[in-house]
Amino acid sequence: MKILVINGPNLNMLGKRDSSQYGTETLAQIEENVRKKAADLGVEVSFFQSNHEGAIIDRLQSDAGASDCIVINAGAFTHFSYAIRDAIADTKLPFIEVHLSNVHEREEFRHKSVFEGLAAEVIVGHRGKGYIMALERLVKLLSKKD
Ligand code: DQA
């Protein structure tokens, strides 16, 4: 099983961003933990982070064929990028939306997600652990299908 993990804008700055919302782990540390979990679960993971909407869309288009499912934290694009919504819908792959912070308890504009109705699950407020949870859920979800 191949899982594509996509992170959007400003997530490259984790560790320096507001730790009360995002925790203290860097993206590299989160990815390392995900890599270890993937090895335990016997699945493959690949990572992509970009601050650019088009680059995320390009990666979804190019890697979808070689992936079985997706974990995405689209950062602020979550709240308004219909272009990323379309790109992820076009992959036809199951995906889980992750947010480190609890977006529902923050500003009104963060309550809306363009992925609503598409994501298999949404995991919020678990900081870096949310990515591990997403991996576990996707592996369960996809093994049920076989
Ligand atoms: C975020 C929440 C978004 O509202 C914000 O713009 C981010 C990070 C999160 O992981 O909690 O950059 O996606």
Side-chain angles (χ1 to χ4, degrees), residues 9 11 17 22 73 75-76 78-79 98-101 103 106 110:
L11 293 164
R17 295 186 76 184
Y22 302 120
N73 180 352
T78 304
H79 313 302
V98 170
H99 299 287
L100 296 118
S101 64
V103 282
R106 300 182 65 193
R110 295 186 206 272

Side-chain angles (χ1 to χ4, degrees), residues 21-37:
Q21 295 295 349
Y22 302 120
T24 52
E25 279 181 306
T26 63
L27 185 59
Q29 288 167 334
I30 290 173
E31 288 181 351
E32 190 46 39
N33 292 336
V34 171
R35 220 174 258 122
K36 282 184 191 150
K37 186 64 175 187

